[in-house]
Structure formats: C-alpha cells, structure tokens
Amino acid sequence: EAQVTQNPRYLITVTGKKLTVTCSQNMNHEYMSWYRQDPGLGLRQIYYSMNVEVTDKGDVPEGYKVSRKEKRNFPLILESPSPNQTSLYFCASGLTGLASYNEQFFGPGTRLTVL
Amino acid sequence: GNSVTQMEGPVTLSEEAFLTINCTYTATGYPSLFWYVQYPGEGLQLLLKATKADDKGSNKGFEATYRKETTSFHLEKGSVQVSDSAVYFCALYSGGSNYKLTFGKGTLLTVNP
C-alpha cells in the first residue's frame, strides 16, 4: 500500500529535550515536506526537500532541522523544543515535474505537546 | 503572494442536505487547485483536484469547478452523509521550486443524522 508514515503519532515532552519525528514514504517520491497545522492558521510549510541531500527552508523553519540521507526518509528534528512548537505536524511527499501537478500525499500526523 | 480564502466554519448540516464550501484564491500564473479532507484523528487526503481553467474535479460525490474569471474553486455535494463530517481544506500550487501548497484555514463540516 502506497503511504506516508510518521512516528510517533503522539508525543508529550518538556522544553529543551531534543526530539525527532520520523517520516517515511514508499512511493519513490523525490519531493518531501513538513507542515505544521495550527488552529485558525491552516497548514504552513516548515522545510522541504527536492531529493537526497537537497533541503531548504519553508515559511516557518525557525527551531527545526531536517535531513535527507535516503530518498524514503525525511526526519524532523527539534533540537530544543519550546511550547510555541506545540502543534500538529504533517509530512508529505510527491513527484516533481510538470506532469505531477504537485499532488502531494500526507502522513497521518504527529501531535506534539511541549510543556 | 499566494493566498487561499475559504468560508469560515463550522458548518452544520442535516443528512441529505446540499453542501457548498466557498473557496477563492489569489495567485500568480495558472495554479493547480485542490480540496483535501481531514477526517477526525487522521491525516489529509486528497479529495479532488483541477489543473486548468474550467476543469471540474470530482470524487465521492463531491465536485469543484476551476473558475478563473472569479478565481474560485467552490466545493459542492448534492446530498451529504454523516460520514462526510470532517475538516475540508482548499489549497493551490502556483509553481515555484519549493512545490509548496498554499492552504486555506480549513472548514469544519458536521453532518447530523
């Protein structure tokens, strides 16, 4: 089954304790991205990656890091989480190129609470 | 910059009622338009899409037509079911190397039996 998986699905942590949210896709997509969803704000892009070893900032990258060492994986790293990073996080993947029309596939989400 | 404006919710309907969720956009060029649905506790699923003017996207009884003259992509369904209760997001992609989707804020739909 084609899918994007994320782990963990739920996480409660404390300020300053480093954490990683994993994302994996099995569709051989070049493109992967992280979004955060906050009430009244919709989804905002954090980071994206066009391919292995190619990553770039989205609209709200502060406080986050990513890496893309393998095509299927795109972990999101919070080196020192703060309460304003409490949010629902989505990983997405998709093809690139004109024919793709940028249809993106989303993971189930990770609900993070930082105390 | 690009933006998507969709009607504020929540929207509450009775089963078999007609649904319209308005979506208008501002974008450069000729964007691709999407509706995503988020069922309770789940991630976003692509509901339908349209990639050029006058295209009609449809899926699961939902429809939306890409209207370039009014920059709109309203979601409609003739007869909603309780199982349609979810949050609906309108989104666009207008090109750019970041392949970023620009989302509206979402509309919560509740359908009562």
Side-chain angles (χ1 to χ4, degrees):
Chain A
E1 180 189 355
Q3 60 182 351
V4 178
T5 57
Q6 295 178 224
N7 282 292
R9 293 289 311 277
Y10 303 91
L11 179 60
I12 300 174
T13 190
V14 295
T15 299
K17 186 176 181 182
K18 180 179 179 179
L19 65 93
T20 299
V21 183
T22 64
C23 173
S24 183
Q25 51 94 4
N26 62 1
M27 294 168 278
N28 202 36
H29 287 160
E30 302 95 352
Y31 177 84
M32 297 186 75
S33 181
W34 277 101
Y35 293 85
R36 62 178 286 174
Q37 181 184 12
D38 300 292
L41 296 177
L43 280 81
R44 296 176 292 169
Q45 189 184 54
I46 304 171
Y47 267 94
Y48 67 96
S49 169
M50 296 299 291
N51 215 323
V52 175
E53 302 292 0
V54 181
T55 64
D56 210 342
K57 297 177 181 178
D59 294 328
V60 289
E62 294 78 21
Y64 304 95
K65 286 176 57 177
V66 293
S67 68
R68 188 91 181 272
K69 293 186 170 59
E70 303 166 285
K71 196 172 188 179
R72 62 184 292 125
N73 296 324
F74 190 46
L76 179 70
I77 303 157
L78 284 72
E79 295 264 359
S80 182
S82 62
N84 64 13
Q85 293 178 297
T86 292
S87 188
L88 180 57
Y89 291 87
F90 289 103
C91 181
S93 73
L95 294 170
T96 58
L98 290 175
S100 72
Y101 301 112
N102 197 22
E103 179 177 341
Q104 293 186 22
F105 299 82
F106 284 78
T110 295
R111 185 166 292 282
L112 172 66
T113 302
V114 183
L115 302 175
Chain B
N2 299 330
S3 67
V4 174
T5 303
Q6 59 181 106
M7 63 189 288
E8 300 268 338
V11 174
T12 302
L13 297 173
S14 298
E15 207 163 23
E16 299 185 3
F18 183 84
L19 168 71
T20 300
I21 301 178
N22 290 336
C23 172
T24 57
Y25 66 89
T26 302
T28 54
Y30 301 93
S32 298
L33 301 173
F34 307 87
W35 277 101
Y36 280 84
V37 58
Q38 184 180 25
Y39 297 105
E42 299 184 14
L44 278 75
Q45 301 174 25
L46 180 65
L47 181 59
L48 53 85
K49 68 181 180 185
T51 58
K52 60 182 188 295
D54 300 324
D55 264 3
K56 177 184 283 189
S58 61
N59 186 25
K60 299 181 181 180
F62 290 88
E63 293 182 338
T65 300
Y66 188 148
R67 300 286 188 202
K68 190 171 186 298
E69 62 277 11
T70 55
T71 62
S72 65
F73 193 54
H74 304 321
L75 182 69
E76 296 182 337
K77 186 174 186 183
S79 176
V80 293
Q81 305 300 311
V82 173
S83 58
D84 294 326
S85 298
V87 180
Y88 293 82
F89 291 92
C90 185
L92 70 82
Y93 169 66
S94 68
S97 59
N98 63 4
Y99 281 82
K100 182 183 74 174
L101 291 173
T102 299
F103 285 88
K105 294 181 180 180
T107 301
L108 172 62
L109 170 67
T110 301
V111 181
N112 295 318

